[in-house]
Each structure stands twice: as C-alpha cells, then as structure tokens.
Amino acid sequence: MNPQVRLRVPADAEHLRTVRSVVAALAASAGCTVDALADLRLAVDEAATRLLLDVPAARVLAVEAAVVDDGLEVVVAASTEQATAWPPPELERSLSWAVIAALVREPRTLTTHDGPAIAFRVVSDA
Amino acid sequence: MPELGVADAPVRPTADPEADALFARLPDEGARAAIVARFAPLARHLARRFRGRAELEDLEQVALLALLKAIDRYDGARGPFVPFASATIVGELKRHLRDTGWALRVPRRLQEIGILVGRAIDQLVQELGRSPTVPEVAARTGLEEDEVLEALEVGGAYRARSLDAPTAEDAPALDPPADDDGLELVEVWADVADRIRALPDRERRILYLRFFRNLSQSQIAERVGLSQMHVSRLLARTLARLREDLGD
C-alpha cells in the first residue's frame, strides 16, 4: 500500500498548522524537494482557507494525502451540514485559485463524502 | 506592553493645501501614488520608532500598508490627514507586534538548526542544480529528517540575519507576463494590483518571479540574493497579507 494520511481537524484556521505539518511530513517521506514542500504548504493553506471561507458553517476540515508515483495527491474537504453550492461561480476567478493553480498540478474542485473539496497533485521534484 | 512614546509622533496638524488637492483628485491613481509618496516618509519614521522589537523592513512594510489603509479611509471633513494617518499606522504597528510576538520566542536551538538548514539548502542547490530533498539536507547537516522538517516549518518565525545577503534592490515593476497563458492570471491579480504595487520591491519581485515567470523558490533565491528559506517565508507572508487585504 502506498503511504497515505487522513486527517480531520476542527474547521478553524488555527488548525491549519497541524494540517501543513502532517502533509509536509508525508511529502518529505515521498522524496519531495524543499521547493516542492514549500509550494505544497502554500497550496494546502490556500485551499483550506478558501474552503473555510466558501463553505458556510463548515465543521470539520478533512484532509487526505496519498503518495503516488511522482509525488503526492492531496484532497482538502470541508464538511458541513448546510447545503452548499460548490464550487461557487467566482472561485476560478479568485486570487486563491490563481495561487493554487500556479503552485500545483491539476487543481480541481469536487465533492467528496466529506463535502466540498479542492484536490491537486504535487510533483516531488517540482 | 510598555508604552512606546509614539503618541508624540510627528503630528503636524497644519494646513496642507497640496495634500488636500491630491485627496480631492481621488480615486485617481496618480493622485493616490503621489499621496503615498508624500507620506511614505511619515510611515517609515513611525516604523523606526518600534525598531528593535522586529525587523525594520517588516515594520516599514506594515506601516506602508497602514498608510494605504489610512488613505482609503480618510475623510477630509474630519480633520487633517497626518494625525489620522499616524494613529492608523501606529495602531497597525502595535497590532503587528502583538500578532507576531510569538515569533520572537523561537527557541535558540531551533534558530541554530534553522541557520544550518538554510545554508545547507542553498549549498545543495548550487551543487545539485536543483532543490534538495529533506533526506539530502539531513545528510548534509547531520540533523535528523524530523529536525529539518521542523526547521523548514518555523522558517517563517524568525530572521536568520547571517543568511540575509545584501539585497539587490533592483526589482522591476510588476511587468505584464510575456505570454498569453498569463492573461487570465493577470485578470485575477488585477483585483489586488493596488496591494501588489504597495508591496516592498523585493516582495513584489518575488511574487512576480514565482507567479508570472514560474521560477522555483530556489531559482528566485539565487536571483534576488536571499536564501531559499527566506524566499519561502516572504512568499507565504505576502500571500497571507494579500488574502487578508482582499478579505477574500
């Protein structure tokens, strides 16, 4: 089995640090370079912050990261009990999205069993 | 927190018809730029009052952003600009010190590890021609991989002076990107263009090189004469600030 982590923290900016650390540790074990790690941290931060803003009454941030052939696949989701239109129409024109798209590969929105999510891939030698 | 004696900042509540004329032309961008230029020395002066409690360049950046905020919020009917701006700037500086107070409490051991890691990364970039992995940095420094990760993580929490090569402050203005791919991106960034213009040259240049020229952090570090770790934390901080400014 490829190494992976699943992490659930309260939907609150103060827990982003934990998320960044855990995901970065997995990425390091997958052979990511220091540059790739830095981009990964920024992208995780940006995705999570975006979800916290766009998903009303988000309760839990659910983060999954898995080692894949050339790096790391990451899914950041926000679970909420409120119906949420996802993705919001303006998302792709937001600064957040521009930042994420510039830092990582294949950024995309999806809805997982946890809720609205942003997924992307980080290449280890980026 | 001790009082800092900033209440007696250079307040000159005298008439300033030139400034009034500029304010009257807002939201004209030229007028705005002229106002910023006119009062930037005030912002820097106030920033220097807090020197010793944080890096001066950080303080100056906070003060300049606060100046922009003050310009946006100024209502001429309620009195001269300078006292109003001074209060705003000092308020923001104090808030900044409060918010980043934890940064000064990074344990010495971690600071030392951070210096070792920062130097090793830059050496390895030179030797390998690419960014190193965490195991490579660990091998070079003799540290555990966990320690390297920890150092990378707190990279933003303090400033390792010895690593800060003098900066070539030859940063260009934020040039438009050369290719069509960038156009959509520019549209998005246009929303924060004002804020980007207000960034210190170095931050603006790093942002430009990463997002418009697509250089890696290591490549940027070489170009601007900083360590990769320094570039990393400047970038993280700049993005956080833009996000905050945008309320987005």
Side-chain angles (χ1 to χ4, degrees):
Chain A
M1 164 191 146
N2 281 352
Q4 53 180 271
V5 294
R6 289 173 185 222
L7 190 64
R8 295 172 71 81
V9 296
D12 189 317
E14 76 180 88
H15 296 284
L16 289 185
R17 193 190 168 123
T18 307
V19 173
R20 281 194 302 266
S21 302
V22 172
V23 175
L26 183 67
S29 78
C32 279
T33 64
V34 168
D35 277 348
L37 284 176
D39 286 347
L40 172 66
R41 277 207 175 87
L42 292 176
V44 165
D45 221 34
E46 202 65 53
T49 307
R50 194 69 233 175
L51 286 163
L52 291 178
L53 285 166
D54 283 345
V55 178
R59 298 167 62 87
V60 172
L61 266 184
V63 181
E64 298 189 14
V67 176
V68 293
D69 284 347
D70 59 349
L72 207 67
E73 181 73 34
V74 180
V75 184
V76 184
S79 77
T80 175
E81 282 159 18
Q82 275 184 32
T84 306
W86 180 257
E90 70 282 7
L91 179 67
E92 293 213 351
R93 289 200 68 253
S94 70
L95 177 65
S96 299
W97 197 257
V99 167
I100 293 169
L103 294 171
V104 294
R105 307 281 179 92
E106 295 163 38
R108 59 210 181 270
T109 56
L110 67 165
T111 302
T112 69
H113 54 274
D114 287 305
I118 294 173
F120 53 81
R121 195 160 55 84
V122 172
V123 177
S124 54
D125 63 352
Chain B
M1 189 171 292
E3 249 322 303
L4 290 151
V6 285
D8 60 344
V11 174
R12 288 184 297 272
T14 48
D16 186 348
E18 259 182 71
D20 292 346
L22 288 171
F23 274 106
R25 281 173 50 209
L26 287 178
D28 177 81
E29 283 302 320
R32 196 175 145 88
I35 296 170
V36 170
R38 189 177 183 85
F39 294 104
L42 169 70
R44 294 206 180 84
H45 173 85
L46 292 171
R48 277 195 296 276
R49 296 227 163 185
F50 293 85
R51 189 169 40 192
R53 305 184 59 207
E55 289 294 333
L56 183 58
E57 64 187 284
D58 288 351
L59 294 171
E60 287 185 347
Q61 181 174 335
V62 170
L64 286 169
L65 283 173
L67 172 61
L68 279 176
K69 205 180 266 188
I71 293 170
D72 288 343
R73 293 181 183 169
Y74 178 57
D75 171 5
R78 289 167 54 189
F81 179 67
V82 168
F84 171 76
S86 300
T88 305
I89 293 167
V90 168
E92 290 285 321
L93 284 165
K94 285 185 172 173
R95 190 164 68 95
H96 171 75
L97 289 172
R98 215 171 34 237
D99 292 350
T100 56
W102 64 276
L104 306 174
R105 295 196 294 271
V106 173
R108 179 170 290 274
R109 181 190 68 89
L110 216 44
Q111 291 186 22
E112 289 164 0
I113 288 176
I115 290 169
L116 290 174
V117 167
R119 187 184 300 145
I121 289 170
D122 295 339
Q123 284 172 354
L124 286 165
V125 168
Q126 293 296 327
E127 293 170 20
L128 304 170
R130 60 164 171 80
S131 175
T133 63
V134 169
E136 285 166 346
V137 177
R140 171 60 56 96
T141 53
L143 295 166
E144 298 293 331
E145 290 180 24
D146 280 353
E147 291 176 306
V148 174
L149 272 172
E150 205 180 353
L152 292 174
E153 204 166 306
V154 300
Y158 67 95
R159 185 67 58 91
R161 246 308 149 197
S162 59
L163 289 177
D164 297 353
T167 320
E169 290 294 353
D170 57 345
L174 193 71
D175 299 335
D179 53 70
D180 289 345
D181 287 353
L183 284 179
E184 205 178 320
L185 199 61
V186 167
E187 200 182 321
V188 169
W189 289 91
D191 292 346
V192 283
D194 278 357
R195 299 307 182 189
I196 291 175
R197 273 193 283 272
L199 292 170
D201 287 349
R202 191 180 55 184
E203 271 84 337
R204 198 173 60 221
R205 184 159 188 228
I206 290 172
L207 206 64
Y208 167 75
L209 292 172
R210 184 69 193 88
F211 292 105
F212 294 86
R213 286 276 177 255
N214 201 25
L215 296 190
S216 71
Q217 292 193 2
S218 298
Q219 290 167 329
I220 295 169
E222 283 189 330
R223 278 221 193 174
V224 300
L226 296 174
S227 69
Q228 180 274 336
M229 279 175 86
H230 196 164
V231 168
S232 179
R233 62 185 172 256
L234 286 177
L235 204 50
R237 200 174 57 182
T238 304
L239 288 176
R241 280 191 186 161
L242 288 177
R243 199 158 58 202
E244 198 179 302
D245 285 339
L246 209 57
D248 159 282

